[in-house]
Amino acid sequence: MTAVMELTDVAPVSAPHRIRGRAWVAGWLTAVRDEERAVCAQLIAEQYPGGAAEESDIAWMLVRLEVGEAYVDDLWGEEHVEPEQFAAAAADPLMPHEAELLQHLAAAHEEQVQSLGSLLGTREPVCPAGTRALPLALDRYGMRVRFVERGSRDRCFDARFEFPEPVADIAQLRRAMHRLFEAAAEETLERGGRAGSAYGALRDGGEDGER
């Protein structure tokens, strides 16, 4: 029997346009053979401890989706995925922790996430004071932040902050995040110094003009 499975990825923090992506996986449903039944049942039990069991009175059947094609539409763009690519794909090492980490960043490190706006360079004019910074996505390569103008849910943009190198676990992620926040703090201080110097030059120029 042919089937299409649709998946929706929703950001674990409250943000405008919260859906991060959608995926469609199409193929054929086939019954799991007896020799594989125990293994598949164990996989389901590990993911859904309260799910159906062999002794349940509810009629159920183990089926497998044989992937024919897949399609992804997410923050990185749209792409068709071949069955071989789908089978070979591995989950990001931060995937089991991403939701908790993003919620923690949003709740406990709002100012530090906000400070990342100082790293946007020429994009600073579109990140004025009062703009909210919401951690939207996190993976081994970096973090995506959504900058939202306060009082508006439509005026926003995303910025991607890459780590110096891919991380493999929480310990490496912690070090990478510290380096990112330190770079933002240093840039903020440098900009403050440049602004102070510019103000001093303008003030001195004004006093010279008065004399």
Side-chain angles (χ1 to χ4, degrees), residues 41-197:
Q42 180 61 33
L43 290 174
I44 294 176
E46 291 174 358
Q47 296 295 322
Y48 306 99
E54 289 288 354
E55 61 271 16
S56 173
D57 294 332
I58 301 175
W60 62 288
M61 175 184 293
L62 276 175
V63 294
R64 174 192 288 109
L65 177 63
E66 302 288 349
V67 177
E69 62 177 349
Y71 183 79
V72 177
D73 181 4
D74 60 15
L75 299 171
W76 288 264
E78 304 176 10
E79 185 174 0
H80 180 268
V81 182
E82 295 294 337
E84 295 77 13
Q85 294 175 302
F86 185 88
D92 189 275
L94 299 184
M95 183 272 296
H97 315 286
E98 185 199 18
E100 181 181 357
L101 290 169
L102 289 175
Q103 291 168 356
H104 175 72
L105 286 169
H109 299 279
E110 181 180 359
E111 291 186 1
Q112 288 175 294
V113 176
Q114 178 74 41
S115 72
L116 295 177
S118 65
L119 300 176
L120 296 180
T122 57
R123 295 199 65 174
E124 182 189 13
V126 296
C127 187
T131 300
R132 297 175 61 207
L134 305 171
L136 191 72
L138 183 66
D139 57 57
R140 78 187 83 175
Y141 299 108
M143 180 170 66
R144 182 181 293 266
V145 176
R146 179 157 293 168
F147 292 89
V148 184
E149 184 175 321
R150 292 190 185 274
S152 172
R153 293 186 61 84
D154 296 322
R155 300 189 62 179
C156 60
F157 68 91
D158 289 358
R160 173 82 177 175
F161 299 93
E162 300 287 341
F163 299 142
E165 58 186 19
V167 301
D169 53 38
I170 297 299
Q172 292 182 13
L173 172 66
R174 186 178 294 113
R175 291 192 291 269
M177 292 298 299
H178 284 169
R179 291 176 64 181
L180 197 59
F181 289 144
E182 287 173 359
E186 292 175 1
E187 179 64 24
T188 299
L189 289 175
E190 289 180 5
R191 291 190 181 192
R194 290 195 295 268
S197 299

Side-chain angles (χ1 to χ4, degrees), residues 4-47:
V4 177
M5 180 170 58
E6 181 176 349
L7 308 172
T8 302
D9 178 25
V10 181
V13 297
S14 180
H17 315 295
R18 196 171 175 180
I19 294 178
R20 302 187 299 187
R22 287 188 171 89
W24 294 264
V25 183
W28 302 268
L29 291 178
T30 58
V32 176
R33 294 186 293 271
D34 292 340
E35 61 270 20
E36 298 176 333
R37 191 176 183 84
V39 176
C40 292
Q42 180 61 33
L43 290 174
I44 294 176
E46 291 174 358
Q47 296 295 322

